[in-house]
Amino acid sequence: MDTLFQSYPVGLKDVELKEGFWEEYGRLVREVVIPYQWEALNDRIPEAEKSYAIHNFKVAAGVAEGEFNGLVFQDSDLAKWLEAVGYSLSCNPDPQLEEWADEVIEYIEKAQQKDGYLNTFFTLKRPEEKWSNLLECHELYCAGHMMEAAVAYYNATGKRKLLDVMCRFADCIDEVFGEEEGKLHGYDGHEEIELALVKLYKATGEERYLNLSRYFIDERGKEPSFFIEEWEKRGKTAFWNPSDHNKPDTSYNQAHIPVREQTEAIGHAVRAVYLYSGMADIAALKKDEGLKKACKALWNNIVTRQMYITGGIGSTHIGEAFTFDYDLPNDTVYQETCASIGLFFFAHRMLLMEAEGSYGDVMERALYNSIISGMGFDGKSFFYVNPMEVWPEASEKNPDRKHVMPVRQKWYGCACCPPNLARLLLSLRQYIYTCSGNTLYTHLYIPSKAEVAVGENKITLEQNTGYPWDGGIRIKLGLEKEMKHTLSFRIPGWCRSFSLLVNGEALSCEGRTEKGFVSVSRLWKDEDEIVIQMDMPVEIIQSHPEVRANAGKVAITRGPLVYCLEEEDNGTNLSALSINTDTDFQVTAEASLMKGAVSLTGKGFRTKETGWENSLYQPYRKEEEETEIKAIPYFLWGNRKKGEMLVWMNHK
Amino acid sequence: MDTLFQSYPVGLKDVELKEGFWEEYGRLVREVVIPYQWEALNDRIPEAEKSYAIHNFKVAAGVAEGEFNGLVFQDSDLAKWLEAVGYSLSCNPDPQLEEWADEVIEYIEKAQQKDGYLNTFFTLKRPEEKWSNLLECHELYCAGHMMEAAVAYYNATGKRKLLDVMCRFADCIDEVFGEEEGKLHGYDGHEEIELALVKLYKATGEERYLNLSRYFIDERGKEPSFFIEEWEKRGKTAFWNPSDHNKPDTSYNQAHIPVREQTEAIGHAVRAVYLYSGMADIAALKKDEGLKKACKALWNNIVTRQMYITGGIGSTHIGEAFTFDYDLPNDTVYQETCASIGLFFFAHRMLLMEAEGSYGDVMERALYNSIISGMGFDGKSFFYVNPMEVWPEASEKNPDRKHVMPVRQKWYGCACCPPNLARLLLSLRQYIYTCSGNTLYTHLYIPSKAEVAVGENKITLEQNTGYPWDGGIRIKLGLEKEMKHTLSFRIPGWCRSFSLLVNGEALSCEGRTEKGFVSVSRLWKDEDEIVIQMDMPVEIIQSHPEVRANAGKVAITRGPLVYCLEEEDNGTNLSALSINTDTDFQVTAEASLMKGAVSLTGKGFRTKETGWENSLYQPYRKEEEETEIKAIPYFLWGNRKKGEMLVWMNHK
């Protein structure tokens, strides 16, 4: 079925990460995050809020006493953990971990109802209310995450138990929902099942699952509104606040108009990009040009109007949502880690439809900035919100900013981001390469070894790079026999000049660069070596003038990394600092921050605080002194003492 | 008793406004606001939310059928209107208006309970719950506003009915509250009665009212917390949201520690400054140095740390509250009109304790900027929130800014600001002059005629000025006989140079200027004339460097007026504009905006929007063009087409 794609990814089993930046994150996830989350899911971390996720399944399975606890979507926490476990086991066998997973899969199987239904909240707490509040209660969302887990676990271990459970549940859902009379003409308030059903289809070949996903996508936003009718049916009450009788705003759930007519990213950001990912899947698999067009419009809206420089999305914490074009406030920002991950998923699916380097650019931008900023080096502390500036006192004392945490938090009661990070970081290797016809594309630069089937032959690619700290990439080929093939490498949008060598011989890039890729077509031989050397100067970046929050400000970048200032290096009140737009920055190794890391130092200016004697406003006078400004990679912020942080700084 | 004050105001009956800036506002209030609010209070404005304020009193009086409607503090809307009516009648007799007032005073008297209790919400709706939720239910707040009304109406008309009603209620309150055993050791969640009881004391001479006010002030914030105990007693529920069982945050009500220990303005801004006003009253009347010290600390905290350049306060709409030092966001600001009015009241009371020009500076700053910006020229549209920048699309689509209205709104369901504006504008004449011993101080420059008793003699002052549009003030004295006296005139903080002439002869200002006043002591004769000419150049102002929101930005002022840019004059995207800090501004008459008004135009720069082809971030390049920038007085914003507005703009 992969031929329906214009291209397909080189999969998890075919790529192995090698020592380097991302393998260290992978190790952290395997060795710390997954075991820590296992403890958390089992409510064994004294200082954290209890999860109850496994407890609920045990009770529903009849193997423990008690009642349901936690949030309505608590099941999904276990699902995300299981999915991460699947990715982990697919490259790093671990009998203990597999035993834990098998144990909870037992509970899950036993918790499943006869008709295939599976959801501990409704089974234990509100059995009569199943499927009565799709808008708010996440039944299909939880189902989707468990489907993703089932596919990952099956692919890794070959064990079918969870996959079978989830096929039965998918069958049950297919019985309940659909356009036929007597079925519910609905869809979930939190999109996720759409993309999950596509994965289930790919794992099983069952076309009904693909069609059900398409049904959910096409039904969404039709008139009369399913969500409004459902809300009227249940007496116009809200699950989260029974005394709230306001009519639901369905744009929060991207259900205000049919998805094919949507051109602006709107509503809850995670839900939006999960939906768009599912839409892109269906567009590709069903060769649906109309849906592809909607995907492109939404994509363009996000990346040219509503995306932070760090690749994050979500301009407001109220509804964790998109707002509107060019509204990218730095202080009240939401930019949830999960939303960046969702944008990464969406980008990857767009890439499968269209070999266009800018999709990989956004994957890279999100990955190296707003995604990994979400996790501390201890693997036990996380940011949900990734702010563009932090003033710790404001987080504490201005309620408009209380969602902006100045230090990473422990596992949360609503724990979406940590397991989402875990599953992405452990499956990152599947996002490096894609194949399309006679071309092998390289999208991410990560030390790794891949084995790619090309017709009846195989190519192995051994990729070495110091990315993101330097822009040199060396790829060594392994071939059983000579082969004519095209190798295309993404040249990131940030890269203004690069050189390309094959077996030590420089090739002209003239005529080889198209849509963000440089390509070499030739008869490749075993041990051929390609070297790409990208210049990685420090750049001073400005925003589109319509981004009011960044008027008069610039950010510092180097390669894929956005940099930021921290109080630790620059003293308090970072807003008093400014730089010239032609400042030369010095690149300095900062091994204490992270192996390979570099900081940037340059000349700047600081407004003096003298002469203010208890006044708040005075006629302007230039009172500043030269100072050294030091910037560190954004994703590394918040790993030292609590203090201020700033991405966009004033320029002269 | 006025001798207890260090100085006392020249009262309402002794000053008359003459044609000019403020008399036009006064006329607008008399001719439009008061009659319009009368219609609103009677629920006769079809397009506005119903008030029910008079309806409730009629029902409680037994002269109409029905039930209570509106908010728990609805009574106070009628009280504020009545107070304004009192001020209006004191200078502009109006039989129709007096008849309306007498009519509602009848209802009020009939609505009073036998024991003196008066509150239509509790009388009609929850008679058993009286005095059970001081934290949230505004009983003493409503009482306070009605006391202020009673005093104003009595002073204007000599009619005692409402005054007697409110004395009976004050007696009732004095029976219920106090330190004696068996009494409630409480105070109101919304301060107001403290300052109202002082007014009632001054009108009646009844010392118990003064002591009761002091009791409320001193009881506040003591341990154990009255509010917490009360909350526990009523089952830990909240009036506004019965399912909210969170422990109240008593700092919202300035009740977290005793008021004498408070040094930082905190919590709901209006409540705070009403409390501080009451504290200043008691400090002066009781010669209480400890309380005066607390007032000064709170005053200094506000004006040197938490006040917008427009004289507004309240940095967040969440709780309509102060946040913390130097946190003055421009986009998410609250800066409620009522809070500016409360700050004006506080400033005036500080001035009575201490002849210090900076208090008058703040009165002037608030009055000419954040206070009158609250009302449109039609007298029927009002801003609650006075933002420092407006992006209409953000107000609509970013929920963090939905409290920021880009156009003034009609009378509201919760209608605090319009009547508050009305009562201030109609009593403004009592804030112009104060007397202290042998000195007559002039604080505000307003065309007016005042008659001041000095011992057994009288001085009349005829003040003429084009303020705030020009800085010339001419004061003509009228004396029955020659008299040695000191006349002191506030020289505003914004004024860097001025000249002083008596009878055409320039006096040296050397040695005459102290604490913000220039003083002339001499033997004054009838028809002496003092002329003060203050230079009023355009100034470019910066904020204290700790105000992060204004880093790299400046504001334009001229005299007492803060200026702003509007889209109407400068096109869309005001954030793309910047100015040099030495820009020369031209002063141009703008009669179409307002009689006498001047706009400021100067050379500025606009960032070009070309060359961005669908990109959101690019390496910095200087792409700007020269443009003319036109600023209008802040208080006049929002009187033309809906559009952007900006106070703090980028500088080079």
Side-chain angles (χ1 to χ4, degrees):
Chain A
M1 64 209 137
D2 279 337
T3 53
L4 289 168
F5 281 91
Q6 291 196 18
S7 59
Y8 62 92
V10 177
L12 284 169
K13 296 234 164 181
D14 303 322
V15 189
E16 174 191 341
L17 294 199
K18 285 171 34 188
E19 198 55 40
F21 188 92
W22 289 110
E23 170 52 14
E24 289 201 18
Y25 271 101
R27 185 179 305 132
L28 183 65
V29 174
R30 289 194 304 273
E31 293 178 2
V32 179
V33 180
I34 287 186
Y36 181 75
Q37 293 185 352
W38 173 249
E39 293 303 301
L41 290 166
N42 279 289
D43 311 324
R44 289 192 292 247
I45 296 177
E47 70 278 14
E49 289 178 53
K50 284 192 177 187
S51 160
Y52 298 108
I54 290 176
H55 162 87
N56 293 335
F57 274 103
K58 280 184 178 174
V59 175
V63 302
E65 296 283 305
E67 52 185 27
F68 180 91
N69 256 305
L71 296 166
V72 67
F73 47 77
Q74 211 69 12
D75 289 1
S76 65
D77 285 356
L78 180 58
K80 285 184 219 164
W81 178 83
L82 267 175
E83 186 186 349
V85 168
Y87 300 139
S88 183
L89 294 176
S90 72
C91 60
N92 291 75
D94 177 339
Q96 171 66 73
L97 185 61
E98 196 166 330
E99 198 182 307
W100 289 343
D102 286 339
E103 181 196 329
V104 292
I105 289 169
E106 285 287 330
Y107 306 144
I108 295 169
E109 190 187 34
K110 285 192 178 136
Q112 185 167 38
Q113 307 290 288
K114 277 206 189 99
D115 63 355
Y117 185 85
L118 179 66
N119 183 298
T120 68
F121 173 82
F122 283 98
T123 304
L124 295 175
K125 214 164 169 173
R126 309 227 184 138
E128 328 71 40
E129 292 180 28
K130 281 185 219 169
W131 309 128
S132 69
N133 190 341
L134 273 291
L135 178 66
E136 298 176 283
C137 290
H138 296 73
E139 276 161 296
L140 294 174
Y141 167 83
C142 290
H145 274 301
M146 200 61 89
M147 287 172 193
E148 289 198 87
V151 170
Y153 199 71
Y154 165 70
N155 284 339
T157 62
K159 294 180 181 173
R160 289 196 62 101
K161 184 176 278 184
L162 188 58
L163 188 69
D164 290 340
V165 165
M166 293 318 295
C167 285
R168 285 196 294 276
F169 193 13
D171 296 339
C172 162
I173 294 166
D174 194 35
E175 289 288 310
V176 172
F177 292 89
E179 53 194 347
E180 297 88 341
E181 213 172 320
K183 287 188 173 183
L184 268 178
H185 305 316
Y187 37 86
D188 205 73
H190 195 316
E191 300 91 326
E192 152 66 22
I193 193 153
E194 296 80 358
L195 68 89
L197 282 165
V198 173
K199 286 192 175 181
L200 200 61
Y201 154 71
K202 289 203 221 170
T204 63
E206 176 54 74
E207 191 104 11
R208 275 189 300 118
Y209 302 153
L210 190 65
N211 292 336
L212 183 58
S213 168
R214 184 173 61 179
Y215 169 77
F216 283 134
I217 285 168
D218 276 335
E219 189 64 28
R220 190 168 211 91
K222 281 192 184 163
E223 283 294 337
S225 165
F226 171 74
F227 286 145
I228 301 301
E229 291 194 333
E230 184 197 61
W231 168 74
E232 285 165 348
K233 227 175 274 172
R234 66 173 176 271
K236 302 187 179 182
T237 63
F239 176 81
W240 297 96
N241 179 4
S243 63
D244 172 10
H245 299 292
N246 290 313
K247 194 168 169 175
D249 172 5
T250 58
S251 72
Y252 171 77
N253 316 81
Q254 300 78 42
H256 53 304
I257 51 171
V259 298
R260 288 167 191 272
E261 295 168 24
Q262 298 188 23
T263 55
E264 283 179 27
I266 198 166
H268 188 271
V270 172
R271 298 176 200 224
V273 284
Y274 280 16
L275 167 65
Y276 308 154
S277 297
M279 286 164 64
D281 277 339
I282 296 296
L285 288 166
K286 294 286 190 185
K287 291 189 182 299
D288 184 330
E289 282 298 331
L291 207 48
K292 181 176 170 186
K293 205 176 143 201
C295 288
K296 286 199 75 159
L298 291 162
W299 172 266
N300 286 332
N301 176 257
I302 293 175
V303 302
T304 70
R305 302 282 193 278
Q306 300 203 69
M307 181 183 71
Y308 285 90
I309 191 173
T310 43
I313 48 176
S315 295
T316 176
H317 73 110
I318 300 176
E320 308 177 318
F322 287 107
T323 57
F324 66 101
D325 291 358
Y326 301 118
D327 183 41
L328 296 163
N330 294 309
D331 49 359
T332 56
V333 49
Y334 199 67
Q335 196 176 192
E336 185 183 344
T337 304
C338 286
S340 299
I341 293 172
L343 181 61
F344 181 97
F345 293 155
F346 181 28
H348 179 62
R349 283 159 171 88
M350 292 304 288
L351 194 53
L352 294 178
M353 277 200 281
E354 198 168 24
E356 169 70 61
S358 59
Y359 297 121
D361 287 355
V362 170
M363 288 166 61
E364 177 178 284
R365 190 187 281 274
L367 190 59
Y368 284 99
N369 297 288
S370 57
I371 291 177
I372 40 168
S373 68
M375 187 166 78
F377 289 144
D378 61 358
K380 297 175 181 176
S381 56
F382 302 90
F383 280 133
Y384 276 45
V385 172
N386 295 282
M388 302 302 285
E389 62 187 56
V390 168
W391 183 9
E393 200 172 2
S395 298
E396 194 190 326
K397 296 179 180 173
N398 184 329
D400 295 314
R401 304 214 209 163
K402 73 168 180 231
H403 61 288
V404 175
M405 298 291 170
V407 288
R408 290 180 180 81
Q409 308 288 298
K410 297 281 171 210
W411 181 276
Y412 291 64
C414 166
C416 60
C417 299
N420 224 344
L421 265 167
R423 68 182 183 137
L424 175 67
L425 293 175
L426 289 177
S427 61
L428 198 56
R429 61 195 189 279
Q430 68 181 322
Y431 298 101
I432 302 175
Y433 299 103
T434 62
C435 293
S436 176
N438 206 34
T439 306
L440 175 64
Y441 291 96
T442 306
H443 304 291
L444 297 178
Y445 297 111
I446 297 179
S448 57
K449 197 170 172 184
E451 197 172 270
V452 185
V454 177
E456 286 172 12
N457 300 314
K458 275 195 304 197
I459 311 180
T460 61
L461 296 96
E462 207 168 320
Q463 191 188 143
N464 277 300
T465 176
Y467 217 80
W469 309 116
D470 84 72
I473 298 123
R474 181 180 299 265
I475 290 175
K476 194 149 196 179
L477 302 184
L479 288 107
E480 283 163 1
K481 56 180 185 182
E482 294 184 356
M483 185 166 59
K484 182 137 174 48
H485 207 70
T486 302
L487 297 181
S488 291
F489 303 92
R490 183 176 61 89
I491 300 301
W494 56 260
C495 175
R496 321 273 165 227
S497 83
F498 67 95
S499 61
L500 172 69
L501 292 91
V502 173
N503 299 330
E505 183 196 344
L507 300 190
S508 157
C509 300
E510 196 86 12
R512 293 184 184 281
T513 315
E514 201 190 7
K515 293 188 166 187
F517 293 94
V518 63
S519 301
V520 187
S521 297
R522 61 190 279 165
L523 191 69
W524 295 101
K525 300 189 305 284
D526 192 35
E527 303 222 331
D528 274 354
E529 192 182 59
I530 303 114
V531 171
I532 299 168
Q533 185 64 48
M534 299 187 272
D535 289 347
M536 201 182 257
V538 179
E539 290 206 303
I540 292 179
I541 302 291
Q542 64 183 344
S543 292
H544 191 289
E546 287 284 337
V547 181
R548 285 148 175 78
N550 295 339
K553 294 173 195 260
V554 291
I556 307 171
T557 63
R558 180 171 177 271
L561 298 179
V562 175
Y563 275 68
C564 71
L565 311 184
E566 277 202 306
E567 183 174 333
E568 174 103 359
D569 302 311
N570 299 284
T572 188
N573 193 7
L574 300 175
S575 78
L577 298 173
S578 60
I579 57 169
N580 286 322
T581 52
D582 58 359
T583 304
D584 266 332
F585 281 93
Q586 226 186 328
V587 178
T588 311
E590 291 280 349
S592 69
L593 281 176
M594 186 186 213
K595 194 177 148 192
V598 295
S599 70
L600 311 175
T601 46
K603 207 180 76 176
F605 306 90
R606 172 181 284 283
T607 307
K608 287 189 200 167
E609 289 206 8
T610 48
W612 282 91
E613 292 85 32
N614 272 336
S615 63
L616 200 44
Y617 304 104
Q618 283 187 8
Y620 180 82
R621 63 201 151 83
K622 188 169 176 160
E623 285 274 8
E624 58 181 26
E625 54 197 357
E626 261 194 47
T627 186
E628 190 183 80
I629 285 183
K630 177 172 167 180
I632 65 159
Y634 172 76
F635 80 87
L636 289 174
W637 87 274
N639 280 302
R640 296 177 294 177
K641 277 206 297 263
K642 180 164 95 172
E644 291 181 46
M645 186 276 287
L646 186 72
V647 172
W648 290 97
M649 73 197 78
N650 284 315
H651 72 77
K652 310 225 148 249
Chain B
M1 64 206 139
D2 277 339
T3 52
L4 289 168
F5 281 91
Q6 290 197 16
S7 58
Y8 61 92
V10 177
L12 283 169
K13 295 233 164 180
D14 303 322
V15 189
E16 175 191 339
L17 293 199
K18 284 171 33 186
E19 198 54 40
F21 187 92
W22 288 110
E23 171 51 15
E24 289 202 17
Y25 271 101
R27 185 180 303 131
L28 183 65
V29 174
R30 288 192 307 272
E31 294 178 1
V32 180
V33 180
I34 287 186
Y36 181 75
Q37 293 185 351
W38 173 249
E39 293 304 300
L41 290 166
N42 279 288
D43 311 324
R44 291 192 292 249
I45 295 178
E47 71 277 14
E49 290 177 53
K50 285 193 176 185
S51 160
Y52 297 109
I54 291 176
H55 162 87
N56 293 333
F57 274 103
K58 281 184 176 172
V59 176
V63 303
E65 297 283 306
E67 54 185 28
F68 180 91
N69 256 307
L71 296 167
V72 66
F73 48 78
Q74 210 71 11
D75 289 1
S76 65
D77 283 357
L78 180 59
K80 284 183 221 165
W81 179 83
L82 267 175
E83 185 186 349
V85 168
Y87 300 139
S88 182
L89 295 175
S90 72
C91 59
N92 292 74
D94 178 338
Q96 171 65 76
L97 186 60
E98 196 166 330
E99 199 183 305
W100 289 344
D102 287 338
E103 181 196 329
V104 291
I105 289 170
E106 286 287 330
Y107 306 143
I108 294 169
E109 190 187 34
K110 286 194 178 135
Q112 186 167 39
Q113 307 291 287
K114 278 206 188 98
D115 62 356
Y117 185 85
L118 180 67
N119 183 298
T120 69
F121 173 81
F122 283 98
T123 304
L124 295 174
K125 215 164 169 174
R126 309 230 183 135
E128 329 72 38
E129 292 180 27
K130 281 185 218 168
W131 308 129
S132 69
N133 190 343
L134 273 291
L135 177 67
E136 298 175 283
C137 290
H138 296 72
E139 276 161 297
L140 295 174
Y141 167 84
C142 290
H145 274 301
M146 200 59 91
M147 289 173 191
E148 288 199 87
V151 171
Y153 199 70
Y154 164 71
N155 285 339
T157 62
K159 294 181 180 169
R160 290 197 60 101
K161 184 176 278 184
L162 188 57
L163 189 70
D164 289 340
V165 164
M166 292 319 293
C167 285
R168 285 197 294 276
F169 193 13
D171 296 340
C172 162
I173 293 167
D174 194 34
E175 289 288 309
V176 173
F177 292 89
E179 52 194 347
E180 298 89 342
E181 214 172 319
K183 287 189 174 183
L184 266 179
H185 306 316
Y187 38 86
D188 206 73
H190 195 317
E191 299 92 327
E192 153 66 21
I193 192 152
E194 295 81 358
L195 67 89
L197 282 167
V198 172
K199 287 192 175 181
L200 200 62
Y201 154 72
K202 290 202 221 169
T204 62
E206 176 55 73
E207 190 104 10
R208 275 189 300 117
Y209 302 154
L210 190 65
N211 293 336
L212 183 58
S213 168
R214 185 174 58 179
Y215 169 75
F216 284 135
I217 285 169
D218 276 334
E219 190 64 28
R220 193 169 209 89
K222 281 192 184 163
E223 284 293 336
S225 165
F226 171 75
F227 287 146
I228 301 301
E229 290 193 335
E230 184 196 62
W231 168 75
E232 284 165 349
K233 227 176 273 171
R234 69 173 174 272
K236 302 188 179 180
T237 63
F239 176 82
W240 297 96
N241 180 2
S243 63
D244 172 10
H245 298 292
N246 290 313
K247 193 168 170 177
D249 172 7
T250 58
S251 71
Y252 171 77
N253 315 81
Q254 301 77 41
H256 52 304
I257 51 172
V259 298
R260 288 167 191 273
E261 295 167 24
Q262 297 187 24
T263 55
E264 284 179 27
I266 198 167
H268 188 271
V270 173
R271 299 177 199 225
V273 285
Y274 281 15
L275 167 66
Y276 308 155
S277 297
M279 286 164 63
D281 277 338
I282 296 296
L285 288 165
K286 293 286 190 185
K287 292 190 182 300
D288 185 331
E289 283 298 333
L291 206 50
K292 181 175 170 187
K293 204 176 141 201
C295 289
K296 287 199 73 159
L298 290 162
W299 172 267
N300 287 332
N301 176 256
I302 292 174
V303 302
T304 70
R305 302 280 194 279
Q306 300 204 69
M307 181 183 72
Y308 284 91
I309 190 172
T310 44
I313 48 175
S315 296
T316 176
H317 72 111
I318 299 176
E320 307 177 319
F322 287 107
T323 57
F324 66 101
D325 291 359
Y326 301 118
D327 183 42
L328 295 162
N330 293 310
D331 50 358
T332 56
V333 50
Y334 200 67
Q335 195 175 192
E336 185 182 344
T337 304
C338 285
S340 299
I341 293 172
L343 181 62
F344 181 97
F345 292 156
F346 181 28
H348 179 63
R349 284 158 171 89
M350 293 304 289
L351 197 51
L352 294 178
M353 277 200 281
E354 198 169 24
E356 169 70 59
S358 59
Y359 297 121
D361 286 355
V362 170
M363 287 166 63
E364 177 179 285
R365 188 188 283 274
L367 190 58
Y368 284 99
N369 298 287
S370 57
I371 291 178
I372 40 168
S373 67
M375 187 165 79
F377 289 143
D378 60 359
K380 297 177 181 176
S381 56
F382 301 91
F383 281 132
Y384 277 44
V385 172
N386 294 282
M388 303 301 286
E389 62 186 58
V390 168
W391 183 9
E393 200 173 1
S395 297
E396 194 190 324
K397 297 180 180 172
N398 183 329
D400 296 314
R401 304 214 208 165
K402 73 167 180 233
H403 61 288
V404 175
M405 299 291 171
V407 290
R408 290 180 181 80
Q409 307 289 299
K410 296 280 171 212
W411 181 277
Y412 290 66
C414 166
C416 59
C417 299
N420 224 344
L421 265 166
R423 67 182 183 136
L424 174 68
L425 293 174
L426 289 177
S427 61
L428 199 56
R429 59 195 191 282
Q430 68 181 323
Y431 298 101
I432 302 176
Y433 299 104
T434 62
C435 292
S436 175
N438 206 34
T439 307
L440 176 64
Y441 291 95
T442 307
H443 303 292
L444 296 179
Y445 297 111
I446 298 180
S448 57
K449 197 172 172 181
E451 197 173 88
V452 185
V454 176
E456 285 171 13
N457 302 313
K458 276 195 305 199
I459 310 179
T460 61
L461 296 95
E462 209 169 318
Q463 191 188 144
N464 277 299
T465 176
Y467 217 81
W469 309 116
D470 85 70
I473 298 120
R474 181 179 300 266
I475 291 176
K476 194 150 197 178
L477 302 183
L479 288 107
E480 284 161 0
K481 57 178 186 183
E482 295 184 355
M483 185 168 57
K484 180 134 176 47
H485 207 69
T486 303
L487 297 182
S488 292
F489 302 92
R490 183 176 61 89
I491 300 302
W494 56 260
C495 174
R496 321 271 166 228
S497 84
F498 67 96
S499 61
L500 172 69
L501 292 91
V502 174
N503 300 328
E505 184 197 340
L507 300 190
S508 157
C509 300
E510 195 85 14
R512 292 185 185 280
T513 314
E514 200 190 7
K515 291 189 167 188
F517 293 94
V518 63
S519 301
V520 187
S521 298
R522 62 190 277 163
L523 191 70
W524 296 102
K525 300 190 305 284
D526 192 35
E527 301 222 334
D528 275 353
E529 192 181 60
I530 303 114
V531 171
I532 298 168
Q533 186 63 50
M534 299 187 273
D535 290 348
M536 202 181 255
V538 179
E539 291 206 301
I540 292 178
I541 302 290
Q542 64 183 344
S543 291
H544 191 291
E546 287 285 337
V547 180
R548 285 151 176 76
N550 295 340
K553 294 174 193 261
V554 290
I556 306 171
T557 63
R558 180 173 177 271
L561 298 179
V562 175
Y563 275 68
C564 71
L565 311 183
E566 278 202 306
E567 184 175 333
E568 175 102 0
D569 302 310
N570 299 284
T572 188
N573 193 8
L574 301 176
S575 78
L577 298 172
S578 59
I579 56 170
N580 286 325
T581 52
D582 58 357
T583 305
D584 267 332
F585 281 93
Q586 226 185 329
V587 178
T588 312
E590 290 281 349
S592 69
L593 280 176
M594 186 186 214
K595 194 176 147 192
V598 295
S599 68
L600 311 176
T601 45
K603 207 180 77 177
F605 307 90
R606 173 181 283 283
T607 307
K608 287 189 202 166
E609 289 206 10
T610 48
W612 281 90
E613 293 84 32
N614 272 335
S615 62
L616 200 43
Y617 304 103
Q618 282 187 9
Y620 180 83
R621 63 202 152 85
K622 189 169 176 160
E623 286 274 8
E624 59 180 27
E625 55 198 356
E626 260 193 47
T627 185
E628 192 184 78
I629 286 184
K630 177 173 168 181
I632 66 159
Y634 172 76
F635 80 87
L636 290 173
W637 87 273
N639 280 301
R640 297 177 293 177
K641 278 207 297 265
K642 180 165 96 173
E644 292 181 45
M645 185 276 287
L646 184 72
V647 173
W648 290 98
M649 73 197 76
N650 284 316
H651 72 77
K652 309 222 151 253

